[in-house]
Amino acid sequence: MSVQEKVEIKKGHGRPDRPITKELLEKDSKPDHIIITEQPDAIPSYRQIDYKRYYDQDYADQEVEHVWRKQWLYAAREEDFANVGDRIPLNIGPLSFIIIRHEKNGYKAFYNSCLHRGSMLCTEHDNVATIKCPYHGWEWNLDGSLNRIPGHWDFPDVTKLNGHLREVKLDRWGGCIFINCDPDCGPLSEWLGILPEHAKCVELENRYTAAHFKKLMRANWKANLEAFQESYHLTTTHPEAVPFNTDQQAQYEIWRTPQGGLGRSITPGCVPSMFAEEDANMVTATYAFMEIMKSWHYPDAEIAELDPEGDVRKQAADWHRKVFKEKNGRESEAPDTVLLDSLLYFVFPNFTVWVTEAVPILYRFLPHETDPEMSYFEVRVLRPIPAGQEAPPPAPCRHMGADDSMLDVAEGFNFLAMVFSQDTGNMPLIQRGMHAADPGRGHSTLGRYQEQIVQFWHQLFDEKIPQK
Ligand code: FES
Ligand SMILES: [Fe+2]
């Protein structure tokens, strides 16, 4: 339900010693960087979101037809496939695909369904010489061409030509593999929009998976995604971050693409929240930031002595550049904001990249196979491959149940384990609470500015899913 009246939209809330994002970026030591200079090109129309979208089976079915079957979908990282013949099943709601490395530098994606009587062909990450159905043994080569049908004489209609596994489009960017099962879809590059240009400075293709989990969530996939599309919740949900991380000073932007669009949030680090105690300031916030970076990424680094009279943000960025080079053997080309702040790029519908050296992670939000009230939340830490070194083997994905604690992943995720535990703890409450709402008030009330990426996502759903 769209609410169209005109109101003045304030773009964040700060004060001189706790500035909003725009004021910080203006002082950045690489002010001509595209991340800072490129202007967003869209504003969503304001809307309230019907809670049924988060639990209604019919709505979930519409998402399958009009979103999951139409959009480019992040499927895997190239480093997941060490050898030719490695394959991974990709489940998205009721849909399932096989992603396979069929040759040294080639990947393919197929519908994960046997052409005989429909059995799934791949249920786990494994390595195979051929794709063989576990039921009656129909068998395909790694490129999807038909290899063998036991008792082929009884299937005179099946030929090499029509017996090829049903293939879907696959393309790659930044070490990530994407698929699209719409034969008429536009190119991946178009879907990614501004992202490749903006993410150039973090070289996603030059990274490896250092930690990885996938957790079953008791909430719809959109509720889970929306927990990361705004920083408004930081003060209440993550009180430990208030002394050194902003919330209402964050900046939100939107870019359209022919397929949908992207949202970006920039939430400055090294600056206290507007809700922090008065003794918190950019110096204390920067010391807290350096301690976290040291404990997570740079154990051998020395914490810098800050000059409180100087430009503290520049000192923080210079420190991060220095320790990045010491650890990785090369310079970072990133502007200050990539070294200090939380820059999240959300690509419709469910792919999120943090373009930052502080929190270098990828998110994916996946609908459950059968239940719209459940979903999967997947996170990877992508560390830079140090110059002149082979990439370490990727960390295996840790599969977590709905009741498993995120604190169990503390080793790989450092302070984020606590943050994720706080975020995921909200999810069953929001899912249950949406059912408990007064039926006469069964919708959310979104912030005009801080929740505009959430608004934009639902605008896209409205554009793609026929209204009843
Ligand atoms: S269902 Fe696959 S071979 Fe029969
Ligand atoms: Fe959070």
Side-chain angles (χ1 to χ4, degrees), residues 60-254:
D61 294 344
Q62 299 283 333
E63 286 176 352
V64 172
E65 289 314 308
H66 301 289
V67 177
W68 303 117
R69 285 192 192 278
K70 298 289 179 190
Q71 292 288 324
W72 280 98
L73 302 168
Y74 160 58
R77 291 273 302 169
E78 288 182 38
E79 72 251 33
D80 297 339
F81 303 81
N83 300 297
V84 171
D86 277 11
R87 63 177 186 170
I88 295 177
L90 170 64
N91 299 325
I92 298 180
L95 308 178
S96 185
F97 306 93
I98 310 168
I99 319 299
I100 192 160
R101 184 175 178 187
H102 74 289
E103 60 186 25
K104 192 165 184 305
N105 193 30
Y107 300 81
K108 281 185 179 283
F110 306 106
Y111 284 94
N112 192 4
S113 181
C114 180
L115 300 187
H116 178 219
R117 276 164 54 192
S119 170
M120 283 182 98
L121 297 167
C122 171
T123 55
E124 60 182 4
H125 187 169
D126 58 6
N127 182 276
V128 291
T130 59
I131 301 168
K132 184 175 177 182
C133 180
Y135 197 171
H136 310 90
W138 285 33
E139 200 169 349
W140 291 267
N141 300 311
L142 299 183
D143 65 0
S145 57
L146 183 61
N147 177 302
R148 174 175 172 270
I149 295 178
H152 201 154
W153 59 268
D154 207 17
F155 303 89
D157 301 334
V158 184
T159 65
K160 283 270 176 203
L161 203 58
N162 68 15
H164 200 284
L165 273 185
R166 304 294 294 178
E167 193 168 346
V168 300
K169 288 193 175 184
L170 181 148
D171 204 349
R172 292 180 272 166
W173 163 74
C176 299
I177 296 173
F178 300 84
I179 67 162
N180 194 321
C181 56
D182 177 2
D184 301 321
C185 69
L188 177 72
S189 57
E190 204 173 70
W191 178 81
L192 288 166
I194 55 162
L195 182 56
E197 198 59 31
H198 285 219
K200 217 177 224 173
C201 59
V202 294
E203 299 179 51
L204 285 178
E205 64 285 358
N206 231 340
R207 290 175 178 261
Y208 71 99
T209 302
H212 190 185
F213 73 79
K214 183 175 174 186
K215 180 171 163 59
L216 180 62
M217 303 290 297
R218 293 191 206 285
N220 181 269
W221 71 275
K222 300 186 292 298
N224 195 186
L225 164 63
E226 290 161 9
F228 298 93
Q229 287 183 320
E230 45 83 3
S231 296
Y232 174 52
H233 70 281
L234 260 62
T235 315
T236 310
T237 297
H238 310 301
E240 296 81 0
V242 164
F244 58 87
N245 214 82
T246 55
D247 37 56
Q248 298 190 36
Q249 295 104 314
Q251 179 166 304
Y252 301 89
E253 290 142 306
I254 285 164

